[in-house]
Amino acid sequence: ARPGDDGLGDISRPVNSAFQSDAELFSAEFNWWTELKCSGHWRWDAGLGVRYVSFDEDARVDFVTTGPGVFPVDNGFVRSEVKNRFIGMQAMFAAHADISENFEFFGSLKAMFGSIDREIDVTDLDIFAGSFHSASIDDDEFVFGLDVELGFKWRLSRCIGVGLSYNLFFLDNVQRGEDAFDFSQSNSGAVQARQAPDQLVVHSIFFGLNFNF
């Protein structure tokens, strides 16, 4: 329902809807590390770096009308294409614990601060008016984020090791695809694009081989 001047708004006709989304996250970083201290089985490192993050998400809702009403005007869909581009600096801290000659636990924390650019494109078919419609909006601001990793390395030989780690990635004020739809302006005849940023949290597990030369 869209709140109108009289408080009644526009009421949707009965519909069946199907929602789907697809997201892609890419990150690249260039870092400089230095050892702070080494004592017994423990080592502590600190560093500074540059971080780039790209997060794209597409969201789509297909509508099939099942009863009488004004909106949607016919069977149709609404789709959003969202792009988030972050670039900034990061301060880093890492700790390593050598449990044995071949087994090591490690953890790292990276605090990020920089600028994010958000681009939103929304298209719809037969929602408030017949035919295709489109809307777009861009915005940018300074945001912060965190990257936390915990894991271990097992050295099979002097040059080869096996690693397993858990990573938590957090970035504030990221635009999600499903939040980009603005159904409140039916008088325009189109579903509008809106900025409604949220927090992005990604959990990852990494497993692989380490080669040292």
Side-chain angles (χ1 to χ4, degrees):
R2 178 186 64 83
D5 294 336
D6 55 4
L8 297 178
D10 299 327
I11 307 301
S12 169
R13 67 196 292 187
V15 297
N16 289 330
S17 60
F19 172 80
Q20 60 181 355
S21 66
D22 180 64
E24 181 180 84
L25 175 67
F26 170 80
S27 178
E29 54 189 307
F30 180 78
N31 300 318
W32 171 83
W33 288 93
T34 184
E35 185 178 283
L36 295 177
K37 186 178 180 180
C38 181
S39 176
H41 295 284
W42 288 89
R43 305 192 319 273
W44 292 270
D45 300 327
L48 295 173
V50 178
R51 186 74 170 261
Y52 172 80
V53 178
S54 170
F55 178 75
D56 297 343
E57 186 170 34
D58 298 339
R60 176 176 173 134
V61 185
D62 291 287
F63 297 97
V64 178
T65 60
T66 60
V70 180
F71 303 121
V73 298
D74 202 349
N75 297 342
F77 69 85
V78 59
R79 182 172 186 263
S80 67
E81 299 179 26
V82 173
K83 297 179 180 179
N84 297 270
R85 300 290 184 268
F86 168 86
I87 185 167
M89 303 292 295
Q90 60 183 10
M92 308 174 296
F93 178 80
H96 308 263
D98 294 319
I99 305 303
S100 68
E101 185 176 319
N102 297 320
F103 199 79
E104 171 194 341
F105 280 108
F106 66 89
S108 67
L109 171 65
K110 301 173 183 177
M112 301 174 289
F113 182 76
S115 175
I116 189 170
D117 179 70
R118 300 185 294 259
E119 299 179 6
I120 303 173
D121 293 303
V122 172
T123 56
D124 75 82
L125 171 67
D126 295 337
I127 303 300
F128 296 132
S131 189
F132 285 94
H133 310 89
S134 63
S136 62
I137 188 172
D138 298 341
D139 195 14
D140 60 85
E141 64 178 307
F142 285 97
V143 300
F144 73 95
L146 294 173
D147 188 320
V148 180
E149 186 173 11
L150 297 172
F152 71 85
K153 295 178 182 178
W154 180 28
R155 299 179 185 89
L156 302 178
S157 68
R158 185 180 66 85
C159 298
I160 301 176
V162 176
L164 177 67
S165 66
Y166 161 78
N167 181 265
L168 170 64
F169 179 84
F170 166 86
L171 189 61
D172 198 22
N173 288 354
V174 173
Q175 180 64 47
R176 303 301 304 269
E178 65 271 19
D179 296 328
F181 304 128
D182 184 358
F183 292 95
S184 68
Q185 303 181 51
S186 60
N187 291 334
S188 68
V191 179
Q192 297 296 317
R194 70 169 182 172
Q195 293 276 352
D198 200 354
Q199 297 172 337
L200 176 66
V201 179
V202 180
H203 303 272
S204 305
I205 298 292
F206 295 99
F207 174 77
L209 295 175
N210 297 301
F211 297 93
N212 298 317
F213 300 95

